[in-house]
């Protein structure tokens, strides 16, 4: 991604407009995006500011020439682009994604991820002993100086406007992650069908936190969750995958998009799949020009 020509007003306006598009989307049903029963979707895993992969999937999606195609994105921030002072640049990818949402409001969809919530709270994740949230904030302060607070507020509102999951008409459910095995029996499934409140985000206890932070879910727990949300197959990210993906039982596909062996998943919204059939459709970023 080429270095951005910084313009405070343009960045602020774009973030605010994308926030509004997320909130007012005709496909939004409370905390879900419900895709139509015809067309295509391209689903990514965590991107973590992998700019080349973002550019590749956007070019591949070619949304302007394919109005019935949808692009699902999550975990865009907190990558490996640091300056000599430890400031991190992933606000730029978030901004590019906001631009894309403004250009194709009915085709670009986000899902809330754990790094988003950590950034909203300003704490919770460290890499090599450094807070990625502080590094992100340092990047914003470096690039916007006296306007940094306004941009930070706009970024927070943009992240808070992200839905929690995407439901496809063919029985596929997509979310950043799933609650852990011990959390699934008592999980508050109403979180998808109502306005969110502060306790929903609470560390460990809130259903939003549980949904986006859970790891190492067993196939048995996946089956319980899938039945509760009326899904046949579940696609998540969150758990690193060196080979790009993992099949976790007959209903769960985990994908990663944040490295050179990462993948994305194109699907036909009008077709049913098995988890093995989904895996066979995965496309490696290295295979895309």
């Amino acid at each position: 991604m080429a270095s951005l020509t910084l313009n405070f007003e343009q960045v602020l306006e774009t973030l605010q407009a994308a926030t509004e598009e997320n909130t007012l989307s005709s496909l939004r049903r409370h905390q879900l995006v419900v895709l139509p029963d015809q067309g295509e979707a391209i689903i990514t895993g965590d991107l973590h500011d992998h700019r080349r992969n973002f550019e590749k999937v956007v070019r591949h999606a070619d949304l302007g020439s394919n109005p019935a195609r949808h692009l699902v994105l999550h975990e865009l921030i907190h990558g490996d682009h640091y300056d000599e002072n430890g400031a991190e640049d992933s606000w730029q990818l978030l901004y590019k994604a906001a631009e894309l949402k403004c250009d194709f409001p009915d085709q670009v969809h986000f899902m809330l991820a754990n790094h988003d919530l950590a950034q909203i709270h300003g704490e919770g994740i460290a890499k090599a002993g450094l807070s990625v949230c502080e590094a992100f904030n340092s990047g914003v302060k470096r690039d916007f100086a006296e306007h940094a607070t306004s941009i930070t507020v706009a970024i927070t509102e943009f992240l808070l406007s992200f839905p929690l999951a995407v439901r496809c008409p063919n029985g596929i459910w997509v979310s950043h992650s799933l609650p852990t095995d011990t959390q699934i029996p008592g999980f508050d499934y109403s979180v998808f069908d109502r306005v969110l409140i502060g306790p929903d985000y609470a560390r460990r206890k809130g259903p939003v936190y549980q949904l986006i932070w859970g790891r190492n879910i067993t196939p048995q727990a996946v089956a319980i969750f899938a039945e509760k949300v009326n899904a046949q197959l579940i696609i998540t990210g969150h758990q690193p995958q060196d080979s790009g993906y993992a099949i976790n039982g007959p209903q769960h596909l985990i994908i990663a998009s944040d490295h050179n062996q990462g993948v994305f998943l194109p699907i036909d919204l009008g077709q049913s799949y098995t988890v093995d059939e989904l895996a066979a459709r995965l496309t490696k970023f290295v295979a895309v020009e």
Side-chain angles (χ1 to χ4, degrees), residues 4-8 10-11 91-92 142-144:
L4 293 174
T5 300
L6 301 179
N7 181 306
F8 159 67
Q10 179 182 353
V11 173
W91 75 262
Q92 296 183 27
R142 176 200 63 202
D143 294 335
F144 293 99

Side-chain angles (χ1 to χ4, degrees), residues 112-119 121 123-125 164 176-180 183 187-188 191-192 194 196-215 217 238:
L112 189 70
N114 65 307
H115 279 253
D116 304 330
L117 186 57
Q119 189 60 47
H121 287 160
E123 61 182 9
I125 299 177
L164 297 179
H176 179 62
S177 193
L178 298 174
T180 64
Q183 293 168 342
F187 184 72
D188 180 6
V191 73
F192 301 115
R194 58 175 173 79
L196 300 181
I197 57 176
D200 292 324
Y201 299 95
R203 189 175 181 85
R204 294 191 176 88
K205 295 182 179 180
V208 172
Y209 185 98
Q210 292 176 347
L211 177 76
I212 62 179
W213 272 97
R215 281 191 173 95
I217 303 94
H238 188 50

Side-chain angles (χ1 to χ4, degrees), residues 85-160:
N85 298 314
E88 189 261 349
D89 291 341
S90 62
W91 75 262
Q92 296 183 27
L93 187 66
L94 195 67
Y95 168 71
K96 296 298 287 186
E99 278 190 318
L100 193 67
K101 178 67 177 180
C102 293
D103 290 340
F104 304 100
D106 297 323
Q107 296 171 262
V108 175
H109 313 289
F110 304 105
M111 302 184 302
L112 189 70
N114 65 307
H115 279 253
D116 304 330
L117 186 57
Q119 189 60 47
I120 290 166
H121 287 160
E123 61 182 9
I125 299 177
K127 184 184 294 186
L130 301 174
S131 167
V132 296
C133 301
E134 291 179 8
F136 182 98
N137 290 336
S138 294
V140 173
K141 290 175 183 176
R142 176 200 63 202
D143 294 335
F144 293 99
E146 71 272 18
H147 299 300
T149 297
S150 296
I151 294 296
T152 298
V153 169
I155 287 171
T156 298
E157 291 175 346
F158 180 46
L159 295 174
L160 284 170

Side-chain angles (χ1 to χ4, degrees), residues 41-46 57 60 74 172 174 234-237 241-248 252-257 259 261-268 273-288:
I42 295 175
I43 300 163
T44 69
D46 300 15
V57 78
H60 184 82
H74 58 126
I172 294 174
V174 192
I234 292 177
I235 301 168
T236 63
Q241 305 298 327
D242 290 342
S243 64
Y245 77 99
I247 296 174
N248 179 37
H252 187 199
L253 180 66
I254 305 168
I255 61 176
S257 302
H259 53 79
Q261 294 302 310
V263 300
F264 62 88
L265 176 64
I267 62 170
D268 184 331
Y273 298 96
T274 66
V275 71
D276 291 325
E277 288 170 340
L278 287 181
R281 295 182 64 86
L282 290 169
T283 301
K284 284 188 175 291
F285 283 96
V286 293
V288 177

